[in-house]
Amino acid sequence: MNRMLAIADKELRQVSRDRMTLAMMVVLPVMQLLLFGYAINNDVRHMPTLVLDDDRSAASRDFVRSMEVTGYYDVVGHARSYGEVERAFRAGSAKVAVVFARGFAEDLLSGRGATLQVIVDGSDPQTVASATNTASGLAAERGASLSLRPVVPPMRVEPTIWYNPELRTSIFVVPGIIGVILTMTMVMFTSMAIARERERGTLEALIVSPVRSVELMVGKLLPYVAVGYVQITLILIAGHLVFDVPFRGSLPLLYAMSFVFIAANLALGLVFSTLAKTQQQAMQMSFFFLLPNILLSGFAFPWEGMPRPAQWLSEVLPLTHYLRIVRGITLKGSELTDVVRELGWMSVILVFFVTLASLRFQKKLG
Amino acid sequence: MSAPQTDGPRASAAPRQDVQALARDAQAPTADTDLVIDARHLSRSFGSLQAVRDVSLDVRRGEIYGVLGANGAGKSTTLRMLCGLLDPSSGSATVVGYDVAKHPEEVKARIGYMTQRFSLYEDLTVTENLRFYAGIYGVPRRTRRARVDGVIERIGLGDRRKQLAGTLSGGWKQRLALACSTIHEPPLLFLDEPTAGVDPLSRRSFWDQIHRIASEGTTVVVTTHYMDEAERCHRLSFIFRGAVLEAGTPQEVVARRHLRVVELDVPHGARGAADALRDDPRVEEVAPFGSRLRVAVRDRDPGEVARHVLDPLGVAYENCGEQRTTVEDAFVALVHEDERAHTRSQEPAP
Ligand SMILES: Nc1ncnc2c1ncn2[C@@H]1O[C@H](COP(=O)(O)OP(=O)(O)OP(=O)(O)O)[C@@H](O)[C@H]1O
Ligand SMILES: [Mg+2]
């Protein structure tokens, strides 16, 4: 324990003396925040969709089927109330809900003109455009063929956007940046911190000391956990001040969830450090790892819009799960029960990385 | 700091019988049963390269044991195997009473190891480096501060406590590294080329420190490629291309070669004279120092041999008298012997 603290203390002193690293820890999150403030819009298909059908008519069923045919909506289930829709949105199991009020078919057939409601999870603005535009087009087309007497318009879509009614991309992107920055800094700094000791020859002195592997690993990583929390806080504050991003959930919950994520990335950084001989190699490996994280996790492109194999691949990245958690908690006020599934996956990944790290991290040279 | 008692080999003009006097820095312990290191047939390969082959060492309690060898001879690799940092490809070693392969952590807790690259954190201050090493060696928090302060005073870094280690000069870095590796007062200390790249004055005072540490009961194993330092060890091994060529006390090593050395002053044509001497089969080695030539000859009167070679050439020289044979002379001869044996074994049979 004493030995572990000695290592942590030394590491912290070194970090605080390294101006460059320090600047990177602070500047990087803020810079990314501003850069990604406006993300790329994208055509999103296969949006998980709930059906809330109070009409239970042939017309409503027909419309749902035609929605599915477009390929934009994947019906994942039926809801009986708005409450159920909200729960599904918070857990991230649905992004869109179509609501047919009682009398939908009658209104349509009588020519009074029917209205259906499309609710979209606005925390991801890129899905909103796809969901509402497609539904409107569909309504115009199906309405004409289903209606007996042609009225204009026979069927109308009433889009309702939850969580982010003004459709601000920044709201969606800012929580994501927390995940990306943590991935980048945690993996890079740990792998580099150990590669640096290897490069300068101090690792030899460390492993010839009676320090146990666990003490060495934990002592080395502890300061970076603190750095991670500083970064989270920094981005939340900056996001709130600059982009007016709301925080709807529980801060302690977010911090607790973040621990699993940070630990997973630190463990991966350790794995990299056992592979890298120099700091430069460690840095390259970290960037190599960062790339799929940005592309596949749902940070830059909506996860729902990705091809199936890419989605499968993305599940092994801790960031994919953390993004769902952090967006859920900050934007939708998700609770523990909503994110427990993602937490489970993240824990599995954590255990895997830790096992790999402790297998590879030997107190030996060569 | 007092001046070292032993002069460098060049400065001393004592005859070779005086070699025994060189070990007077401290009396070597002689009890054979008290082995701190007992290494048997250690070998280590890196891929196809055999860095260490069949090295056996026995180091007794309280002695200063030298491991000599040129760059790449395998000194560091041997030390790393003894410290439990590297697994040997074959062979075994008992260090401070533990089998290194089976109980590396027990060994690690009882040794100090100053690496070849000093292993200082350049971005930490003098005090922070010492405190860190005290911490990882488990020096209790209560006594840590006092221990660190004491060490800083003793090595004379009192007014540089807050200076970053990276900004210290080579000599100071070396002292700090030594202090770091002894902060936990280990019974056995490994020093890997502690004096490489350090000025002669620092080297001398460093060796005084090694002797002080040894006199306090610590066993010291030190590697070096400076032959003059060999004379300040109680016993030594000479490693050449990964194998032990010779081992023993400096006196034994010197005596076994049966060398006699003379120094000649050749004011004009020293180079030609050196070449002529080298071509003579009786001459083991010629080393020029400016206009001075140091000539080593096996089992003969070196002055006589020089006269035989140089007089017919008409080279004017002054015989400065017979010199003490140094460990360096012995090792140069040893390497030549080995090389001759090597080339002979590689020549095709007639
Ligand atoms: N980890 C390693 N991988 C591959 N080769 C190595 C490794 N460590 C040492 N060697 C090689 O083994 C040989 C002996 O190296 P070693 O460092 O033991 O020599 P040394 O006597 O300490 O030399 P120096 O005076 O340069 O420190 C060298 O040829 C070196 O290149
Ligand atoms: Mg070496």
Side-chain angles (χ1 to χ4, degrees):
Chain A
M1 193 65 194
N2 251 334
R3 293 188 291 227
M4 196 179 82
L5 288 181
I7 294 174
D9 173 70
K10 169 223 129 209
E11 198 70 21
L12 210 57
R13 280 170 198 273
Q14 286 186 300
V15 170
S16 68
R17 222 157 269 169
D18 184 352
R19 295 251 170 80
M20 190 63 207
T21 308
L22 215 59
M24 240 163 90
M25 283 173 183
V26 176
V27 173
L28 215 64
V30 177
M31 209 174 67
Q32 288 241 350
L33 187 81
L34 298 175
L35 281 180
F36 284 107
Y38 306 92
I40 324 118
N41 258 332
N42 208 285
D43 195 27
V44 185
R45 292 168 162 272
H46 298 290
M47 290 171 284
T49 304
L50 273 184
V51 178
L52 175 52
D53 189 353
D54 285 337
D55 195 47
R56 295 167 203 276
S57 60
S60 66
R61 276 195 297 276
D62 176 86
F63 191 80
V64 169
R65 242 189 325 274
S66 59
M67 280 175 86
E68 276 189 291
V69 170
T70 61
Y72 280 84
Y73 311 91
D74 286 350
V75 173
V76 292
H78 288 260
R80 263 155 297 161
S81 66
Y82 281 101
E84 270 181 43
V85 172
E86 189 174 349
R87 270 196 294 283
F89 275 24
R90 279 214 309 240
S93 58
K95 295 261 156 138
V96 181
V98 231
V99 182
F100 301 94
R102 189 164 295 151
F104 171 78
E106 219 179 284
D107 287 346
L108 188 63
L109 294 172
S110 67
R112 276 196 297 278
T115 302
L116 70 108
Q117 188 187 20
V118 174
I119 309 174
V120 190
D121 178 352
S123 62
D124 182 351
Q126 300 179 49
T127 55
V128 174
S130 285
T132 51
N133 295 347
T134 313
S136 301
L138 201 62
E141 182 196 318
R142 297 304 296 165
S145 61
L146 285 173
S147 170
L148 291 181
R149 261 173 288 158
V151 285
V152 182
M155 201 196 284
R156 224 163 47 75
V157 168
E158 181 194 307
T160 309
I161 296 153
W162 285 0
Y163 305 120
N164 182 16
E166 309 101 79
L167 291 182
R168 285 179 300 134
T169 334
S170 53
I171 283 194
F172 178 65
V173 169
V174 169
I177 285 179
I178 296 180
V180 171
I181 286 290
L182 284 180
T183 302
M184 181 155 159
T185 49
M186 294 298 102
V187 174
M188 193 156 82
F189 286 143
T190 45
S191 60
M192 279 177 69
I194 290 175
R196 188 178 55 214
E197 302 237 14
R198 196 187 303 276
E199 216 175 286
R200 299 201 185 155
T202 47
L203 191 68
E204 197 173 350
L206 276 185
I207 52 190
V208 85
S209 78
V211 166
R212 275 178 286 147
S213 290
V214 188
E215 292 173 323
L216 186 50
M217 289 200 298
V218 177
K220 208 82 199 148
L221 299 187
L222 223 49
Y224 294 101
V225 176
V227 168
Y229 277 114
V230 169
Q231 290 184 326
I232 297 177
T233 314
L234 212 63
I235 297 173
L236 284 178
I237 294 173
H240 187 71
L241 294 180
V242 182
F243 292 109
D244 202 18
V245 175
F247 192 93
R248 300 202 170 92
S250 139
L251 200 59
L253 179 65
L254 179 66
Y255 277 23
M257 294 286 133
S258 300
F259 183 78
V260 181
F261 179 66
I262 289 173
N265 282 307
L266 291 177
L268 185 68
L270 264 184
V271 176
F272 284 173
S273 79
T274 62
L275 299 169
K277 293 222 159 39
T278 61
Q279 293 189 72
Q280 198 188 346
Q281 284 179 4
M283 183 134 89
Q284 284 167 345
M285 273 189 236
S286 310
F287 273 113
F288 225 76
F289 175 69
L290 190 66
L291 204 66
N293 269 288
I294 289 187
L295 296 179
L296 299 182
S297 65
F299 171 72
F301 309 110
W303 192 85
E304 282 76 17
M306 294 191 315
R308 268 291 137 71
Q311 288 182 343
W312 291 331
L313 197 62
S314 75
E315 298 286 357
V316 304
L317 303 173
L319 182 61
T320 306
H321 304 283
Y322 184 68
L323 277 189
R324 293 175 192 156
I325 293 175
V326 73
R327 281 175 182 157
I329 294 177
T330 53
L331 304 180
K332 305 180 215 170
S334 301
E335 282 157 21
L336 182 60
T337 46
D338 299 320
V339 296
V340 76
R341 217 181 77 94
E342 305 298 343
L343 176 65
W345 280 116
M346 231 161 49
S347 308
V348 170
I349 297 171
L350 168 66
V351 170
F352 177 73
F353 284 165
V354 167
T355 313
L356 204 62
S358 42
L359 282 181
R360 285 217 42 108
F361 197 84
Q362 298 284 331
K363 268 187 74 188
K364 283 269 158 86
L365 289 176
Chain B
M1 229 150 277
S2 66
Q5 291 168 345
T6 316
D7 285 323
R10 306 272 163 258
S12 161
R16 78 177 219 254
Q17 285 80 359
D18 261 21
V19 158
Q20 274 85 354
L22 288 166
R24 69 189 160 204
D25 282 322
Q27 208 53 56
T30 43
D32 253 45
T33 48
D34 214 9
L35 291 186
V36 176
I37 298 177
D38 185 9
R40 294 276 153 249
H41 309 293
L42 287 176
S43 296
R44 170 72 200 210
S45 308
F46 297 106
S48 62
L49 175 93
Q50 196 164 16
V52 172
R53 53 187 94 196
D54 201 22
V55 166
S56 297
L57 298 174
D58 54 319
V59 178
R60 299 167 195 152
R61 192 171 311 284
E63 75 179 343
I64 299 175
Y65 195 95
V67 177
L68 276 80
N71 287 334
K75 305 180 296 291
S76 298
T77 306
T78 305
L79 243 55
R80 285 176 182 142
M81 287 191 282
L82 295 175
C83 293
L85 276 172
L86 264 182
D87 291 328
S89 306
S90 64
S92 65
T94 306
V95 178
V96 290
Y98 293 92
D99 185 330
V100 184
K102 292 192 190 111
H103 307 285
E105 298 306 315
E106 299 291 345
V107 172
K108 285 174 184 175
R110 288 164 181 79
I111 60 170
Y113 174 40
M114 176 171 160
T115 66
Q116 193 167 351
R117 299 173 60 192
F118 291 178
S119 296
L120 295 173
Y121 292 94
E122 312 234 308
D123 47 357
L124 293 184
T125 65
V126 168
T127 313
E128 285 166 348
N129 266 291
L130 283 164
R131 211 178 285 155
F132 172 67
Y133 280 107
I136 61 170
Y137 275 98
V139 175
R141 203 170 268 280
R142 281 169 284 107
T143 55
R144 207 181 292 171
R145 183 176 295 272
R147 176 93 60 99
V148 167
D149 285 345
V151 166
I152 288 177
E153 284 309 324
R154 203 175 59 209
I155 62 175
L157 272 168
D159 47 354
R160 292 170 188 260
R161 286 162 197 277
K162 294 235 162 65
Q163 192 173 334
L164 295 183
T167 64
L168 292 173
S169 70
W172 284 117
K173 272 187 192 160
Q174 174 206 44
R175 281 186 205 195
L176 178 57
L178 178 65
C180 286
S181 54
T182 50
I183 190 83
H184 55 300
E185 298 171 352
L188 171 61
L189 178 61
F190 290 98
L191 304 171
D192 194 1
E193 286 186 33
T195 53
V198 167
D199 68 76
L201 221 63
S202 301
R203 270 174 59 193
R204 283 190 175 201
S205 71
F206 191 81
W207 272 92
D208 289 342
Q209 284 193 59
I210 294 178
H211 276 277
R212 187 184 47 72
I213 291 170
S215 68
E216 285 164 5
T218 304
T219 311
V220 180
V221 176
V222 54
T223 75
T224 179
H225 55 239
Y226 293 115
M227 296 299 167
D228 55 321
E229 292 183 346
E231 322 225 353
R232 305 204 61 181
C233 302
H234 296 123
R235 290 193 309 136
L236 50 93
S237 273
F238 182 62
I239 300 190
F240 184 65
R241 297 202 183 116
V244 175
L245 270 195
E246 179 70 285
T249 64
Q251 304 88 291
E252 285 167 356
V253 167
V254 168
R256 267 181 222 141
R257 300 273 75 72
H258 304 287
L259 290 179
R260 290 173 66 181
V261 175
V262 72
E263 280 191 9
L264 313 173
D265 192 35
V266 191
H268 305 289
R271 236 176 96 185
D275 289 342
L277 284 164
R278 245 179 232 128
D279 286 343
D280 192 282
R282 288 166 295 185
V283 174
E284 272 294 327
E285 167 68 7
V286 180
F289 297 91
S291 66
R292 247 176 193 242
L293 297 181
R294 191 176 166 86
V295 183
V297 173
R298 182 175 292 236
D299 270 342
R300 281 173 207 270
D301 181 350
E304 201 75 353
V305 173
R307 208 154 47 79
H308 272 266
V309 177
L310 297 182
D311 280 359
L313 299 175
V315 178
Y317 69 94
E318 187 196 337
N319 189 330
C320 303
E322 199 163 337
Q323 309 287 312
R324 183 176 68 83
T325 310
T326 62
V327 172
E328 180 165 352
D329 298 323
F331 281 142
V332 170
L334 201 59
V335 168
H336 285 175
E337 274 170 41
D338 188 73
E339 270 166 356
R340 279 198 295 268
H342 208 66
T343 41
R344 223 175 294 131
S345 69
Q346 299 211 324
E347 274 164 10

